[in-house]
Amino acid sequence: MKKKIQNLKDHIIVCGFGRMGKNVCKELHEAGVDFVVVDKITENFKNVPDNYLWMLGDATSDQMLIDAGVDRASVLASMVDGDADSLYLTLAARSLNPEIKIIARVSNDSAKVKLMRAGASEVVQPLLLSSRKVARTVLGDRAPERESSSPQEMKAKKHRVEEGSDWVDKGVLDIEDYLNSKVMAVVSE
């Protein structure tokens, strides 16, 4: 198995093989995508399919990421339990491969901001996404319109900050936190 992992290129590294990681791997497998999964909990690999490439170890370890081929991988999906581990994993992966796309799972908004600052390409909150899906299903046509956070459906909006506004002396990160958006440009008139 080690040799197969060493021969991977442009593959996906999935860190964490709990419920979320297992579902991600199942989707990747069904799509025919090369991936390797890393988890430190032996029991999580109890019924791993024979054709999965996997490694037992701590994904926050630089050496474990190197052994998983982080320098050759195209994507790292951090599905580990715990926002702190996900943050550490994001920092490690970004330092080992500045070009890798990092998708990180988080449990709350403050961790989302920190992971983006640490170098995550995309951050997902599964609990928030699934609860919104349930609410939209329950409400049907009465569901409120929400702006999408998916990059394919993003829309640009212009926000004007008037003189004397509380936002005049705020930093870009504060504004992004407040708007739950990315600031694309700041224009001074």
Side-chain angles (χ1 to χ4, degrees):
M1 187 175 306
K2 188 175 183 179
K3 187 69 172 163
K4 287 181 182 177
I5 293 169
Q6 289 173 344
N7 289 330
L8 290 176
K9 187 173 190 297
D10 293 325
H11 60 291
I12 297 168
I13 300 173
V14 178
C15 299
F17 200 57
R19 288 183 303 182
M20 190 77 179
K22 284 178 180 157
N23 285 324
V24 169
C25 289
K26 182 177 183 251
E27 294 290 326
L28 295 174
H29 177 68
E30 288 174 4
V33 176
D34 288 333
F35 68 92
V36 59
V37 62
V38 180
D39 197 301
K40 62 184 173 184
I41 302 172
T42 308
E43 289 179 20
N44 285 348
F45 291 116
K46 192 175 182 180
N47 295 313
V48 66
D50 292 336
N51 50 0
Y52 280 22
L53 298 177
W54 57 275
M55 301 172 64
L56 180 62
D58 185 356
T60 64
S61 155
D62 285 1
Q63 189 58 55
M64 186 58 65
L65 291 175
I66 291 166
D67 291 346
V70 71
D71 58 321
R72 303 178 314 277
S74 58
V75 178
L76 181 135
S78 174
M79 300 293 116
V80 295
D81 285 332
D83 295 340
D85 279 348
S86 197
L87 180 64
Y88 192 80
L89 180 53
T90 298
L91 287 167
R94 179 62 63 218
S95 71
L96 293 168
N97 182 348
E99 303 302 316
I100 196 168
K101 180 177 183 178
I102 300 171
I103 302 164
R105 161 192 170 187
V106 295
S107 61
N108 63 61
D109 286 333
S110 67
K112 181 177 181 177
V113 171
K114 290 175 183 153
L115 274 158
M116 293 301 287
R117 287 180 189 158
S121 310
E122 202 166 324
V123 178
V124 294
Q125 288 178 270
L127 183 60
L128 178 63
L129 294 174
S130 59
S131 61
R132 283 183 179 165
K133 173 72 173 159
V134 169
R136 282 193 306 273
T137 303
V138 168
L139 293 171
D141 293 340
R142 298 175 294 159
E145 291 283 325
R146 284 197 176 272
E147 286 189 38
S148 172
S149 60
S150 108
Q152 296 81 9
E153 300 173 23
M154 282 190 182
K155 297 176 186 157
K157 280 188 170 182
K158 187 185 286 186
H159 292 275
R160 179 180 293 276
V161 178
E162 301 292 335
E163 193 171 323
S165 165
D166 291 340
W167 293 103
V168 169
D169 295 322
K170 297 289 184 189
V172 171
L173 292 176
D174 292 325
I175 295 169
E176 287 180 340
D177 289 350
Y178 178 76
L179 296 174
N180 195 23
S181 299
K182 278 292 195 193
V183 172
M184 308 270 301
V186 176
V187 180
S188 177
E189 294 178 2

